[in-house]
Amino acid sequence: MKMKTAKTADGKRFCAVFNIGLDILDEISFATDERVQGVQILQKDGSFTSCDFEKTEEGIIVKTPACTLLPVVLLLDIEE
């Protein structure tokens, strides 16, 4: 998995995730030391909708699949 992130002007974390493996990932997990309060995912029509996620000791698990070479774009709501 490959990920690029940036901080938006309104304090959210923009994440683009690319599955560069051969297998579909059932969920996306990654480490972060930021306090994630919510996750939104980019839809095909250009809108963002809420996405289920789980907090872990190391970071979060986003409950959405990642197909090979298809980007998943996420917005993370970060607690300040």
Side-chain angles (χ1 to χ4, degrees), residues 4-60:
K4 295 288 187 177
T5 69
K7 202 160 205 176
T8 63
D10 60 355
K12 294 183 180 183
R13 177 69 63 185
F14 175 90
C15 301
V17 179
F18 301 88
N19 176 5
I20 57 175
L22 297 176
D23 297 324
I24 295 174
L25 300 174
D26 293 329
E27 54 194 18
I28 302 167
S29 63
F30 56 91
T32 181
D33 56 0
E34 295 179 309
R35 294 182 184 167
V36 178
Q37 298 301 312
V39 177
Q40 296 178 327
I41 188 167
L42 181 65
Q43 299 297 320
K44 292 178 183 180
D45 66 359
S47 65
F48 281 91
T49 59
S50 293
C51 185
D52 291 335
F53 75 102
E54 175 185 330
K55 294 180 186 181
T56 65
E57 288 183 20
E58 297 84 25
I60 65 170

